Amino acid sequence: MQNRVLLIEDDDELRELLARYLVNQGFSVREAANGRDGLVLALGQDCDIVVLDIMLPDINGLDVLRELRGRTHLPVILLTARGDETDRIVGFEVGADDYIPKPCNPRELVARLQALLRRIAWDQKTEVADGRAYGDLAVEPGQRRIYQNGVPLELTGTEYEVLQVLLAHAGSVVRKTDLMQWALGRRLEAYDRTLDMHISNLRKKLGNDHPPRIETVRGLGYSYRIPAP
Amino acid sequence: MQNRVLLIEDDDELRELLARYLVNQGFSVREAANGRDGLVLALGQDCDIVVLDIMLPDINGLDVLRELRGRTHLPVILLTARGDETDRIVGFEVGADDYIPKPCNPRELVARLQALLRRIAWDQKTEVADGRAYGDLAVEPGQRRIYQNGVPLELTGTEYEVLQVLLAHAGSVVRKTDLMQWALGRRLEAYDRTLDMHISNLRKKLGNDHPPRIETVRGLGYSYRIPAP
DNA sequence: AGGGCTACGTAAAGGTTGGGTAAAGACAAA
DNA sequence: TTTGTCTTTACCCAACCTTTACGTAGCCCT
């Protein structure tokens, strides 16, 4: 299956160079030397991905992109003058997927084209929900839920994060500073007892077993006890 | 709601600089200082996108990427030494979605993160399951109608879109930002309560059951509860 | 053993935020 | 203009995270 690239670039020499290279790499290529032609081709549904120069004789490349985004979500890679940061940032904001500074390395262009096409191909496949089980607990990341013997635990968002991190490291100690960073997303400061509270609440919701599922390692952190096999 | 970035970078100073910047830009950030911790976090489904340094103290960044690609399609942006073309090309081949040369401009990192997340949001919009039934609801995409026990619901256009997206993902959580993008076709901005209103109206039209068919997942989004079989 | 220090457990209070929804406004089509 | 629809505004509440306060358990030292 050949991927169809639309090349919108007014510099004939560069355009033909790139086109030849892309064809050699197994793409099928459409060419347009100005914005108007480019738009017509792009909207004509016969390409998979667009390479768009910002500097065009008629319509500005960014306007082409805006027009395109109003109607489709065709992936677009911008060609910009090297170092022109404004164009790049604006380009992303308008909805470009990527940019390459000119003069561009054809190999890099191909690499980026393929990365983008691969991303799209993957995303169009349905993801498998890979829940993992730890004893009587089962994590369902898609639902952001953790089930205990099939019954969903009524966890808050933060409690879910904390338990999920502990489970991922079941059997080994997670240091408090790491748990804080990974589950709460911030640094552990002195006298911050927040984490202790979440652990306390979690233990309650898991049913205060003895010995506790979540073990305290004094001076270090916490550890989820490996469930009996 | 917030997009969760995982930052795998061993240089503490750079990592904290980027982390702070990303937090300011509205991302939630998890940090890992080495490949092993990074892998665990990435596989723990705790993030939406990964920023990965190639030079790491333990595992090589490219090996982290390979390992990751073996199990998920999590979007990855590589941090590479400037000018090291080999790493870049290999990175793309292994499955990176993008790369940024170091030392990197935080604004550009944000722009690229957002471009990639936007692309993914679009691509993951699953199409209507034709005529599928969900409990007492039946979707008729041709008519843009949804029937409840054979009786058509009096839905507005937007309400139809919202409900149909929720049904297509029945049982798992749809983030507000995705729901907005998929059903309303625009980005979710701060203080925009439009979506909440449509949900509220939908619940009313579906008959305010208990527990509600459309569950709220605080801080994240909504989920249509899987009907009893 | 006992004192003193520190880390942890947890109830309760405090404060912030996200979400529900009524009602008003904006807008477009008929 | 009227009507149907989407959006904004405003207010309120409940869920939740964090802090505070006090009690307890572990650990080291003499």
Side-chain angles (χ1 to χ4, degrees), chain A residues 36-49:
Chain A
R36 199 179 324 280
D37 291 352
L39 261 179
V40 172
L41 281 176
L43 296 174
Q45 304 274 18
D46 55 358
C47 67
D48 304 310
I49 190 166

Side-chain angles (χ1 to χ4, degrees), chain B residues 103-116:
Chain B
C104 70
N105 174 351
R107 290 216 302 151
E108 179 168 351
L109 177 57
V110 168
R112 289 193 179 277
L113 283 172
Q114 268 161 357
L116 192 46

Side-chain angles (χ1 to χ4, degrees), chain B residues 3 39 73 76 131 143 148 172 205 211 213 223 228:
Chain B
N3 280 305
L39 263 178
H73 299 313
V76 172
Q143 302 300 314
Q148 184 168 29
S172 55
K205 293 191 180 176
R213 292 159 180 256
S223 157

Side-chain angles (χ1 to χ4, degrees), chain A residues 4 53 88 112:
Chain A
R4 298 161 306 171
D53 190 7
R88 288 182 350 219
R112 288 191 180 277

